Amino acid sequence: MRNWATSTKLWATLGLMWIGMLVLVGWTAYDKRAGLLQERIASLEYFVGSARDMVASLSARAERGELTLEEARTRAIESLANLSFGEDGYIFAFDSDIRIVAHPRRALGDSMRDFQDNNGLYLYRELKAAADRDPQAGGFVAYLSQRSQAGSVEVPKMSYVQRVPGWNWDLVAGVYMDDINAAFWESLIELGLLLLGIGILLTLAMGWIIRDVLRSLGGDPRHARELVRRIAGGDLTQPLTLRAGDDTSLLAGIESMRLRLVASLENIHRGTERIDEGVDQIVIGNQNLSARTEQQAASIEETASSMEELTQTVGQNAENAQVASQLALEARQTAHQGGEMMENVVATMQDIAQSAGRVKDIIEVIDSIAFQTSILALNASVEAARAGEQGRGFAVVAGEVRTLASRSADASREIRVLIESSHQRVGQGAELVEKTGSTIQEVVGAVTRVTDLMEEIASASGEQRIGIGQVNTAVGQMDRVTQQNAALVEQAAGEAEALRSQVAMLVQEVMWFRIEAQQHRSAETTAVRQPALEYDPRPA
């Protein structure tokens, strides 16, 4: 049955539906027969029970003395004779010796112990045995009986027996079962005809449905199942065989899905290869960028350290420039004082030169006096010589005076020479002092300019210290940003590596499908890829 075609299975389903409807009709007819039988049995129980109650009431009246026993039994027999059940139903009674007590068709007192039906059943013995088993509830006995005395055909009959307490009479009534069976067959035929009409309509409808289903499927679904299994196993190389012009069936849809999967997987193959190459380049670029970023971070860190040292140095230079500016200011003040003192020295040297000139004039006067004294002494010595012996002492004095005058003249000449030399040197000194004064004035101007420059340098050094401090802060920020960039680059490199792993996994998953384009790929392209993941296409 597993190898049956789908059309066979569908027609077999229709056959099973026919069998089911037949079973349903049979069960319905049987249920109707059982209902009729249950109805007859219930009516029979009610009828026999009513007769039993009536006879029991007469027995009770006899026991109470209202009636004699014979009178009560006679009334009971008459009452039973007047009772009927249906068209041909009746009730009869027999005693414990199985003798007829009341029967519309048999003589009273007949022994029925040896009575048998055509099947050899001792009917009255079975009735008494059923009453003995349950005197209160009674029992049923099935047998064959003739519907009338003149008839010779026996039909199935069901009798119900119930015992009357006190008298030990067994009351029996029966119903024929042939009409129930006839009703069963009649119902079976009616339901069969109805089933035939409904079955023909259902068969036509199912035939149309089966034809439409087979057209919608486009062929045997086992073919589609095998293709789906191959697709689930990664094989997309086997096409489906379709009817000409079939583009709406299930198999056509599966074939369209296969072709779409083939096209999509070919695109994915090419895309994943490009992505894999791009990811490799990104990974290499990130690695290079990470290395360069680390080098840049190290360089910036060294630059930050150098800038820190430079900041300290510039700060010290700024402080030194402030000190130098203060010293230059003091030097300018000192130079101004030196200039003033040099002006005083120049004035003093000029006074000395003037004094030296006057000393020269005085020496000339002394030299003139010495010359005149010498002349006078010479005249005196001449006059002393004329005077003779009286003038000898005066001549000596005149000689001494002349000697002194000569020595004074010599001394004055030497003093003059010295004065002239001193005057010359004083003049030279005055000139040097004047030149020195001019130089000191120039030094004062230069010191003034140096002081101004030092102030500008101090101001520029202060501004430079502020600027370098800002540069140092900026370099520190650059260092932190570079460190963060290095961390981000490392993270990006890790993410790129993870992306490459994911792309490799995607490539492996896609390579699991077998398509025509994949079969023509070179072995070199396959060799550079990682081995495909093991996959079990069998359903879990």
Side-chain angles (χ1 to χ4, degrees):
M1 184 176 180
R2 179 177 299 176
N3 296 325
W4 287 2
T6 302
S7 59
T8 304
K9 292 179 181 179
L10 292 174
W11 288 114
T13 303
L14 180 60
L16 290 175
M17 185 183 68
W18 271 100
I19 294 173
M21 288 190 299
L22 290 173
V23 172
L24 179 62
V25 167
W27 180 82
T28 303
Y30 180 79
D31 185 66
K32 183 176 181 181
R33 179 182 179 279
L36 292 174
L37 180 60
Q38 186 66 30
E39 183 181 355
R40 291 287 179 87
I41 290 174
S43 300
L44 189 61
E45 288 179 346
Y46 179 75
F47 177 68
V48 175
S50 298
R52 175 180 173 277
D53 292 339
M54 181 190 66
V55 175
S57 65
L58 292 173
S59 174
R61 291 179 64 185
E63 289 179 0
R64 289 195 302 269
E66 296 178 2
L67 299 172
T68 62
L69 180 60
E70 292 297 330
E71 185 178 6
R73 287 184 176 181
T74 300
R75 288 187 180 183
I77 292 171
E78 291 176 354
S79 297
L80 291 175
N82 293 326
L83 295 176
S84 63
F85 181 71
E87 296 180 357
D88 53 359
Y90 57 89
I91 189 169
F92 65 92
F94 60 89
D95 58 13
S96 59
D97 293 330
I98 312 180
R99 292 181 181 276
I100 296 298
V101 175
H103 200 295
R105 298 178 182 178
R106 297 187 185 278
L108 299 179
D110 290 346
S111 176
M112 304 300 295
R113 182 176 293 275
D114 297 327
F115 178 82
Q116 294 178 335
D117 62 2
N118 292 333
N119 293 329
L121 177 67
Y122 290 96
L123 177 59
Y124 285 86
R125 292 182 185 180
E126 290 296 327
L127 290 172
K128 186 176 185 303
D132 290 338
R133 283 193 295 270
D134 193 350
Q136 184 65 28
F140 291 92
V141 177
Y143 59 96
L144 295 176
S145 175
Q146 297 177 356
R147 184 174 284 277
S148 63
Q149 294 293 336
S152 60
V153 179
E154 291 186 345
V155 296
K157 188 176 183 180
M158 178 76 69
S159 292
Y160 175 67
V161 60
Q162 196 171 18
R163 180 162 296 171
V164 178
W167 292 352
N168 289 327
W169 285 5
D170 291 331
L171 301 180
V172 182
V175 292
Y176 293 99
M177 305 297 293
D178 56 345
D179 58 345
I180 295 178
N181 292 331
F184 166 73
W185 288 108
E186 181 180 359
S187 175
L188 187 62
I189 292 172
E190 291 176 354
L191 292 174
L193 294 175
L194 180 62
L195 170 65
L196 181 62
I198 296 175
I200 291 173
L201 293 177
L202 288 177
T203 301
L204 294 175
M206 284 295 295
W208 180 81
I209 292 173
I210 290 171
R211 181 181 177 186
D212 185 68
V213 168
L214 292 177
R215 186 183 298 110
S216 299
L217 292 176
D220 193 352
R222 290 181 299 176
H223 191 193
R225 181 181 62 190
E226 292 300 325
L227 177 63
V228 171
R229 285 183 177 177
R230 287 197 299 269
I231 292 175
D235 186 6
L236 300 175
T237 60
Q238 300 298 325
L240 275 174
T241 303
L242 302 176
R243 296 192 306 269
D246 184 8
D247 56 355
T248 59
S249 65
L250 175 63
L251 295 184
I254 293 176
E255 176 64 13
S256 177
M257 178 190 70
R258 186 190 70 82
L259 295 175
R260 186 69 181 89
L261 283 175
V262 169
S264 298
L265 288 174
E266 288 177 352
N267 294 331
I268 291 174
H269 274 291
R270 292 190 292 269
T272 51
E273 289 177 357
R274 290 195 295 270
I275 291 173
D276 195 14
E277 294 175 358
V279 169
D280 290 338
Q281 294 177 359
I282 290 173
V283 169
I284 295 173
N286 279 333
Q287 291 176 352
N288 295 332
L289 180 60
S290 178
R292 289 194 296 270
T293 304
E294 290 179 357
Q295 294 176 359
Q296 183 180 6
S299 300
I300 290 178
E301 186 175 359
E302 293 178 358
T303 303
S305 177
S306 300
M307 287 300 298
E308 183 68 25
E309 295 177 357
L310 181 60
T311 301
Q312 295 178 359
T313 303
V314 170
Q316 292 178 357
N317 289 336
E319 293 177 356
N320 293 331
Q322 291 290 338
V323 174
S325 176
Q326 185 68 29
L327 293 177
L329 183 61
E330 295 177 356
R332 183 176 65 181
Q333 295 176 355
T334 304
H336 280 294
Q337 293 176 359
E340 294 175 353
M341 293 177 67
M342 284 303 299
E343 290 178 356
N344 295 329
V345 169
V346 169
T348 302
M349 288 301 295
Q350 290 177 354
D351 293 339
I352 291 172
Q354 293 176 359
S355 298
R358 289 193 298 270
V359 169
K360 181 179 178 181
D361 293 338
I362 293 171
I363 291 302
E364 289 179 356
V365 172
I366 293 171
D367 189 25
S368 177
I369 291 172
F371 179 73
Q372 291 176 2
T373 300
S374 177
I375 291 174
L376 291 176
L378 179 61
N379 293 326
S381 62
V382 171
E383 291 293 331
R386 291 175 177 176
E389 198 63 35
Q390 289 87 7
R392 186 178 293 178
F394 184 74
V396 173
V397 172
E400 289 296 329
V401 170
R402 190 175 57 180
T403 300
L404 290 174
S406 178
R407 290 176 62 187
S408 296
D410 293 332
S412 65
R413 283 194 299 272
E414 289 178 2
I415 290 172
R416 184 173 58 186
V417 172
L418 291 174
I419 289 299
E420 289 178 354
S421 177
S422 296
H423 184 269
Q424 185 179 2
R425 290 179 180 178
V426 168
Q428 292 177 354
E431 291 178 359
L432 290 175
V433 168
E434 289 180 357
K435 292 180 180 180
T436 301
S438 299
T439 303
I440 287 176
Q441 291 296 328
E442 293 177 357
V443 169
V444 170
V447 169
T448 302
R449 291 193 298 273
V450 168
T451 301
D452 295 335
L453 292 175
M454 288 303 297
E455 288 179 354
E456 293 179 358
I457 290 172
S459 178
S461 296
E463 294 178 356
Q464 185 179 10
R465 179 172 61 181
I466 296 173
I468 291 179
Q470 294 176 354
V471 171
N472 189 21
T473 303
V475 169
Q477 292 178 354
M478 289 176 61
D479 187 17
R480 290 192 296 272
V481 172
T482 304
Q483 295 293 335
Q484 294 175 356
N485 290 338
L488 291 175
V489 167
E490 292 179 358
Q491 184 178 0
E495 293 294 334
E497 188 67 27
L499 180 60
R500 182 167 63 179
S501 301
Q502 293 296 324
V503 169
M505 184 180 297
L506 178 61
V507 170
Q508 294 169 7
E509 292 293 334
V510 172
M511 292 291 290
W512 180 71
F513 289 96
R514 297 186 297 278
I515 56 179
E516 292 295 337
Q518 182 181 349
Q519 294 178 353
H520 299 292
R521 295 183 184 274
S522 63
E524 291 79 4
T525 304
T526 306
V528 299
R529 301 296 178 191
Q530 298 181 1
L533 295 175
E534 297 183 357
Y535 181 78
D536 188 3
R538 294 176 295 177

